[in-house]
Structure formats: structure tokens, C-alpha cells
Amino acid sequence: MAKKFISNKDETVRMFNSDFLESLSKVHFAVPLIIFVPIILYMLYLGIFTFKIPVLSIIGLIIFGLFVWTITEYLLHRYVFHMELKSKLGARIHFIFHGVHHDYPSDSKRLVMPPSVSLPLAAFFYFLFRFLIGDVFINPFFAGFLIGYLFYDMTHYAVHHFNMHSKFWLGIKNHHIKHHYQDPDKGYGVSSPLWDYIFRTNYSKKEEPNT
């Protein structure tokens, strides 16, 4: 079997003939923060001052939102980003959404979700969760969910571009790097390996590097 192409440089490949579509596929790592931090603050404002939810309830809902993000991150990565349809169009869609990242993992402009993807996904999850938990509790819950998303995006960027020194961050980095360079059918958790351990898609102890 031919070895799969992987570039270790901060470079990319053009994906669209249209300059407009091409621009939508690239984003600076700070853009998610600029977009979603104000939304998070607004939702916390609504929870505290408009709906007057008790502080302990707000904290609990934020933590619950963070927790729900972790399983959402795992499921999206495993079953959506790594879904490969057996057709030319399916292969093209997979490459656009995630395959390009595996071919060019150090491309700094394609490490966080572009708004063209993150905003529709955020809207989908917002209305889904609002339907499930109501108009009041959705605000601190979804603030926690978005905090989890931002932690995921910033962690993903840092893993590929920052030097890690602490045992905690080295563990997260090693877990994700193995997903790229050792076995892409394991290690779907990026910001946390929790669900990989639960669903047995983690790496065995003998596969772990000495850090």
C-alpha cells in the first residue's frame, strides 16, 4: 500500500477554484474567539440578569454544557469528520471538511473551524438544545457548550503549533499527534481523551510515548 501523503510544513493546497469559497475555507485562529466570546457573555448576561437563574444553577448548567460538548466533539470527529462515502463526490466532501487537515496538519489557516462551518453548526445545536431544555436554561448551558468548543479549537491550534512542557498538555498533544501519524481510527478526542477511553478508541499503554 502506498504511504499516504502528509506535509509537515505550514502550507496548504487550494481547494476551490472560486477565490471567495477558498477564502471561506481559511481562518486565523483568533477568529472563533472574536465571534463566540461575545455570544457567551451575552448568554451569561441573559441567564443572570434577564432570567435571574440562581448562581449555583448557572454554574451547574455551564459545567453540563461543557460535558455535553466533550461527547459532541468526539462524535462529530469520529462519525462526521471521518465519514468517507464511497463515491467521488463523497471523497471530495470528506477532503474539504477534514481530509485536507490530515494531509496538511500544520496548516495554520485550517486548524480552527471557519465561521462558514462553525456558525451553522452552532445554530443547529442551539435550536436543538433549546427545544430539549427550554428558553431559560439554554442560555448558561449553551454558554458552557461554546466554552467547550472554544477550548477544543484553541487546543487543536496549540497542539499543532505550540511547544508543550507540562505533563497535562503533553498528554493531550501526544494523544492527538498519534491520531495523525499513527492510527487515524483512534484518538478522536482532541481536547480530552475521555471518550476514547470510554469507547475504547484510545491507544494502548505500549503505544504511549515516554514524556
Side-chain angles (χ1 to χ4, degrees), residues 14-138:
R14 188 177 181 94
M15 293 200 301
F16 301 98
N17 291 326
S18 165
D19 290 339
F20 175 69
L21 291 177
E22 183 70 11
S23 68
L24 292 180
S25 72
K26 299 178 182 180
V27 62
H28 188 274
F29 78 91
V31 169
L33 295 171
I34 295 170
I35 292 175
F36 288 103
V37 167
I39 296 174
I40 291 169
L41 294 176
Y42 178 65
M43 289 189 157
L44 291 176
Y45 171 85
L46 289 177
I48 296 170
F49 297 105
T50 301
F51 295 108
K52 302 186 186 303
I53 303 172
V55 173
L56 288 179
S57 296
I58 287 177
I59 294 173
L61 285 164
I62 291 173
I63 293 172
F64 184 42
L66 279 165
F67 175 77
V68 171
W69 166 258
T70 63
I71 182 62
T72 302
E73 172 191 317
Y74 178 90
L75 294 175
L76 281 175
H77 192 184
R78 181 174 183 177
Y79 295 108
V80 179
F81 295 164
H82 277 268
M83 179 176 62
E84 296 190 50
L85 302 176
K86 294 182 178 180
S87 68
K88 187 174 181 180
L89 177 60
R92 172 68 173 159
I93 292 172
H94 172 261
F95 181 77
I96 290 172
F97 275 91
H98 196 62
V100 65
H101 174 55
H102 275 263
D103 286 357
Y104 298 89
S106 296
D107 176 10
S108 59
K109 295 297 178 64
R110 288 188 171 127
L111 281 175
V112 300
M113 284 191 191
S116 55
V117 176
S118 62
L119 285 174
L121 273 178
F124 167 78
F125 282 116
Y126 172 79
F127 288 110
L128 172 64
F129 293 138
R130 192 176 75 170
F131 173 77
L132 293 174
I133 65 177
D135 296 339
V136 176
F137 295 142
I138 182 61

Side-chain angles (χ1 to χ4, degrees), residues 150-169:
L150 288 181
F151 182 75
Y152 152 78
D153 248 358
M154 297 304 106
T155 297
H156 192 211
Y157 186 89
V159 159
H160 285 284
H161 276 278
F162 293 166
N163 291 323
M164 306 295 189
H165 299 289
S166 74
K167 186 175 181 180
F168 172 79
W169 287 111

